[in-house]
Amino acid sequence: MHVNDSKQKAVLYTYDIYPRYKEKLVPIKLQGLDPHKQYEVKEINLMPGKTSGLHSNGQIVSGDYLMKVGIDAFTTNHTYSRIIELTEVN
């Protein structure tokens, strides 16, 4: 994950290399965000014409929530990746 200095934008990279069968998937608790800011969550590495399967895609959530509760970004798919952009909403 990378957060810019002003904490207005962040990018989260996730990779499901070889998840185990029926493995329990836990949310990713992000770091470095501003707990007082609101962020729009958007999956940005989609193939043309595809829609995101990310539950929180398009939602606006607080930095506090993202750091304490987290985001469900992992899947049970082999060799699956996501790039998730977080943008501050004014």
Side-chain angles (χ1 to χ4, degrees), residues 22-89:
K22 292 192 177 182
E23 180 177 20
K24 181 179 180 185
L25 304 175
V26 295
I28 302 168
K29 294 180 183 176
L30 308 183
Q31 298 178 16
L33 301 174
D34 185 326
H36 304 291
K37 291 183 179 183
Q38 298 290 312
Y39 294 91
E40 180 181 11
V41 177
K42 183 177 180 184
E43 185 174 3
I44 60 173
N45 67 320
L46 300 170
M47 295 298 290
K50 298 290 182 179
T51 57
S52 175
L54 181 67
H55 175 70
S56 56
N57 191 60
Q59 292 183 354
I60 297 172
V61 292
S62 71
D64 188 54
Y65 179 89
L66 291 167
M67 292 189 294
K68 289 181 179 173
V69 176
I71 185 171
D72 291 318
F74 289 119
T75 71
T76 57
N77 299 327
H78 289 254
T79 63
Y80 189 81
S81 67
R82 283 187 163 137
I83 301 175
I84 301 166
E85 180 182 62
L86 304 159
T87 306
E88 178 187 4
V89 177

